[in-house]
Amino acid sequence: MKYDFLIAASLTDGFCGQIAFFRLCLNALGGEYAKSRLVAVFGDSDKEELPEHWKPYFEGIEVAWAYSASGDPEAEGYAAQHLKRFELIRPDCDLAFLCDADVAPIRPFRDMALDLMSRSALGGVIAHFHFPLEGRKLEDRLPDLDWPRIAQEILGHDIERPYRYTLTPLDTPPQAPFYINYGVLAGPPKSLDAFYRAAADIRESLHACVGPWWGPQIEVPLAADRAGLETCALPMRYNFPNDPRADALYPDDLEEIVFLHYLRQGVFRRDRIFASRDEFDRFLGLALTGSNAVFQAHVRAVTGGHYPFERDATDIRTLKR
């Protein structure tokens, strides 16, 4: 099995450390996972050079650049690094993953990969909550109104909504289409290419409808529908957030996490864990529970409890995002 992992990132110590750790996680899984291709796509700076102190730790990581020279440099950069990933997928790989940098592979996933491949399907975990549109408060999310309106405007027809948002109570009625948390999107190359082309066709009108911030995530179910692709809502274990609500709602998945998405920052800063020895040691010294403890134990197991990226501990650049 040949896997491609493509991560969009900013050129900071925070992101570089997360991507280097992602490589260590794949190596620790061994076999076909250790042989996986990992690509870091940087895209919000005028530099095209990996910092010297990170070069020794990017062995086995391809680096690509996706800078844009027009418009808002940051907005253009984030969009460019995200979209560039689709162009870099090997057409002969078996399955490709578009991942966030703050995702850690923990367990093998061959059965899931074979299932997506056999169906030529896109796979992802349904998003935690409905998106708040621009100018709307978080508590004023209106999935039953938003999706029919947006789908009608972009596709010309309504879209099926068979899924419950994953961090809502278990008795919440289905309100979501294949609207995933974009921390992990997986699919065969041909399916991702068809998705990419369909997304390009609707992107301008969609962003005019919902704005650029949530646009890339909202376009997932719409582009999949436009391309006529089969989709598969994966169990929470394939993109498990370090969130106590997820721990309580999905105890079985908590015990079998495959990809852990350490996006919540209430207990620790995700951008600092791998940026210096001091921050690494501080993280390992925390008293954690639930998915945070799973992540901490995995970091300790993969690194042996020793900071794997040795350099001046005072060299910390805070993540901009």
Side-chain angles (χ1 to χ4, degrees):
M1 295 281 282
K2 293 196 297 185
Y3 302 119
D4 277 10
F5 290 90
L6 303 104
I7 297 176
S10 302
L11 200 57
T12 66
D13 281 349
F15 270 120
C16 288
Q18 288 172 336
I19 295 169
F21 180 70
F22 195 106
R23 179 75 263 175
L24 293 182
C25 291
L26 291 174
N27 294 348
L29 287 173
E32 62 194 23
Y33 307 103
K35 296 176 181 177
S36 296
R37 174 176 176 247
L38 176 58
V39 184
V41 185
F42 295 105
D44 67 338
S45 172
D46 57 357
K47 297 179 180 179
E48 295 191 359
E49 180 69 27
L50 192 69
E52 285 294 329
H53 58 269
W54 280 112
K55 287 181 179 179
Y57 312 111
F58 266 59
E59 183 178 351
I61 302 172
E62 295 179 30
V63 175
W65 310 95
Y67 299 145
S68 174
S70 62
D72 179 347
E74 287 199 359
E76 289 290 332
Y78 289 142
Q81 67 196 32
H82 162 60
L83 297 174
K84 184 70 173 178
R85 295 184 292 178
F86 290 93
E87 301 172 10
L88 296 172
I89 296 170
R90 293 178 297 177
D92 64 339
C93 78
D94 294 305
L95 203 71
F97 295 79
L98 277 69
C99 293
D100 284 352
D102 55 352
V103 167
I106 290 182
R107 283 184 172 82
F109 46 81
R110 185 175 242 259
D111 288 346
M112 178 271 283
L114 288 171
D115 181 54
L116 294 183
M117 289 167 55
S118 69
R119 298 158 56 187
S120 298
L122 300 182
V125 174
I126 299 303
H128 307 153
F129 302 104
H130 186 64
F131 49 86
L133 289 175
E134 186 175 354
R136 189 186 295 169
K137 296 179 180 179
L138 290 177
E139 59 267 26
D140 295 329
R141 305 171 196 252
L142 302 170
D144 292 333
L145 296 178
D146 289 337
W147 282 118
R149 177 183 65 82
I150 294 169
Q152 188 66 44
E153 183 166 341
I154 303 304
L155 301 175
H157 59 80
D158 202 351
I159 191 170
E160 292 185 3
R161 287 169 281 135
Y163 304 114
R164 176 183 60 83
Y165 288 101
T166 49
L167 291 189
T168 58
L170 295 177
D171 59 355
T172 303
Q175 296 176 306
F178 182 66
Y179 173 67
I180 64 165
N181 178 282
Y182 226 141
V184 179
L185 172 64
K190 287 185 179 179
S191 299
L192 285 168
D193 181 63
F195 167 82
Y196 177 53
R197 288 184 279 107
D201 289 340
I202 66 173
R203 186 165 297 121
E204 184 175 350
S205 56
L206 177 62
H207 287 199
C209 176
V210 303
W213 182 254
W214 290 104
Q217 193 157 294
I218 294 171
E219 77 184 18
V220 172
L222 303 176
D225 182 276
R226 172 65 66 89
L229 294 169
E230 183 174 351
T231 57
C232 178
L234 298 174
M236 185 62 106
R237 68 191 63 185
Y238 291 102
N239 187 6
F240 201 105
N242 63 323
D243 189 310
R245 290 168 293 191
D247 300 347
L249 287 168
Y250 303 96
D252 292 341
D253 288 282
L254 176 63
E255 296 299 318
E256 298 289 338
I257 294 174
V258 177
F259 293 103
L260 197 150
H261 194 173
Y262 53 103
L263 73 168
R264 302 289 188 245
Q265 303 198 86
V267 181
F268 55 82
R269 286 282 299 272
R270 60 185 176 179
D271 57 304
R272 292 185 174 178
I273 296 170
F274 305 109
S276 76
R277 186 192 311 170
D278 287 349
E279 293 292 341
F280 179 84
D281 291 343
R282 183 175 293 113
F283 168 72
L284 288 187
L286 294 173
L288 301 176
T289 60
S291 49
N292 279 323
V294 172
F295 176 50
Q296 185 186 58
H298 184 65
V299 171
R300 183 175 284 110
V302 168
T303 64
H306 302 289
Y307 181 61
F309 313 122
E310 292 293 343
R311 63 180 184 277
D312 183 356
T314 64
D315 186 17
I316 304 172
R317 298 181 183 88
T318 301
L319 175 65
K320 281 194 315 178
R321 190 156 188 175

